[in-house]
Amino acid sequence: MTALAKRRSITRADLMPFDEYKAIRRARRAEIVARKRSRRMEIGPVATFHFENFETMWLQIQEMLYIEKGGDAQIDDELAAYGPMIPNGHELVATVLFEIDEPTRRKAFLSRLGGIEETAFIRVGGEMIKAVPEVDVDRTNAAGKASAVQFLHFPFTDAQVAAFAKHGAEVVIGFSHPVYGHMSTMPENVRAALAEDFD
């Protein structure tokens, strides 16, 4: 865990100019991607939770600026889009991806997955922490089709943080959706990494 990983917000001052980032991009990406491995969980056959923090969102913003080359005019939009995904010290925040390569099968599956974002949970110490979806856009459309990408916040009480932080604590994460009711026990290395996200 780096000192940066505990930061709660990204500002323009945190971002590197294009040429400076380009010079260190390969090494910095490799470093952060390696740490991201202990911040992900597969739930069922097609869903993966990627738990975000300052570092993962810093990398996402730098990559968007690097790839799209929008310069200064692009920065505020990226900060607005990804800044809210940095945990505030009393929550875990995840990007959830539903990954099905075959387009027809993916469309059929997502069309039955409406409201999945409302059914995600983390269970620790016998208590259920329900997901709060990001409100930037509706992640289930009027026809009941879910987005393949979901952005979820899990707000914890102080007691729930204490339970989560205990070495060896049993943490279960999953969905209670009728079409996708999968859950998994969080490995200890992931629990330990995510415990660092709390104040």
Side-chain angles (χ1 to χ4, degrees), residues 90-165:
H90 303 284
E91 65 178 350
L92 295 176
V93 183
T95 300
V96 181
L97 306 178
F98 292 94
E99 300 173 282
I100 299 173
D101 291 337
E102 205 279 303
T104 303
R105 185 167 153 257
R106 179 173 61 247
K107 183 178 179 181
F109 174 75
L110 293 173
S111 72
R112 298 184 296 125
L113 211 63
I116 187 74
E117 67 275 17
E118 306 288 346
T119 73
F121 66 86
I122 294 173
R123 190 172 69 230
V124 59
E127 293 194 27
M128 196 81 79
I129 297 108
K130 296 184 71 173
V132 178
E134 266 289 310
V135 294
D136 57 338
V137 295
D138 194 353
R139 295 289 165 179
T140 293
N141 70 18
K145 179 178 179 288
S147 171
V149 182
Q150 302 283 342
F151 303 109
L152 305 177
H153 295 254
F154 295 90
F156 280 62
T157 65
D158 289 344
Q160 290 164 344
V161 169
F164 188 98

Side-chain angles (χ1 to χ4, degrees), residues 45-198:
V46 300
T48 305
F49 279 67
H50 298 266
F51 287 92
E52 310 295 3
N53 65 3
F54 178 94
E55 284 189 320
T56 66
M57 289 297 94
W58 179 90
L59 180 65
Q60 179 68 28
I61 292 171
Q62 289 284 179
E63 284 293 295
M64 295 300 289
L65 295 171
Y66 179 83
I67 292 164
E68 296 184 2
K69 299 178 174 61
D72 189 71
Q74 184 184 349
I75 292 175
D76 287 343
D77 286 344
E78 302 300 343
L79 290 173
Y82 296 108
M85 293 297 291
I86 301 170
N88 63 18
H90 303 284
E91 65 178 350
L92 295 176
V93 183
T95 300
V96 181
L97 306 178
F98 292 94
E99 300 173 282
I100 299 173
D101 291 337
E102 205 279 303
T104 303
R105 185 167 153 257
R106 179 173 61 247
K107 183 178 179 181
F109 174 75
L110 293 173
S111 72
R112 298 184 296 125
L113 211 63
I116 187 74
E117 67 275 17
E118 306 288 346
T119 73
F121 66 86
I122 294 173
R123 190 172 69 230
V124 59
E127 293 194 27
M128 196 81 79
I129 297 108
K130 296 184 71 173
V132 178
E134 266 289 310
V135 294
D136 57 338
V137 295
D138 194 353
R139 295 289 165 179
T140 293
N141 70 18
K145 179 178 179 288
S147 171
V149 182
Q150 302 283 342
F151 303 109
L152 305 177
H153 295 254
F154 295 90
F156 280 62
T157 65
D158 289 344
Q160 290 164 344
V161 169
F164 188 98
K166 289 179 182 174
H167 178 78
E170 183 180 74
V171 179
V172 176
I173 182 168
F175 301 97
S176 59
H177 193 277
V179 173
Y180 201 82
H182 295 279
M183 61 186 75
S184 298
T185 300
M186 187 175 286
E188 174 60 19
N189 70 308
V190 176
R191 185 212 60 79
L194 299 185
E196 297 290 338
D197 290 356
F198 296 110

Side-chain angles (χ1 to χ4, degrees), residues 3-55:
L4 279 181
K6 285 292 244 189
R7 293 271 305 280
R8 301 301 178 206
S9 63
I10 299 177
T11 68
R12 281 173 165 262
D14 296 310
L15 301 174
M16 301 177 73
F18 183 90
D19 289 339
E20 287 182 29
Y21 180 66
K22 182 178 180 181
I24 59 99
R25 180 177 182 243
R26 179 176 292 185
R28 194 62 177 275
R29 271 172 50 93
E31 174 189 331
I32 295 175
V33 167
R35 283 199 285 275
K36 286 174 70 171
R37 290 192 191 106
S38 62
R39 301 183 60 84
R40 68 185 296 274
M41 275 189 69
E42 294 178 2
I43 308 297
V46 300
T48 305
F49 279 67
H50 298 266
F51 287 92
E52 310 295 3
N53 65 3
F54 178 94
E55 284 189 320

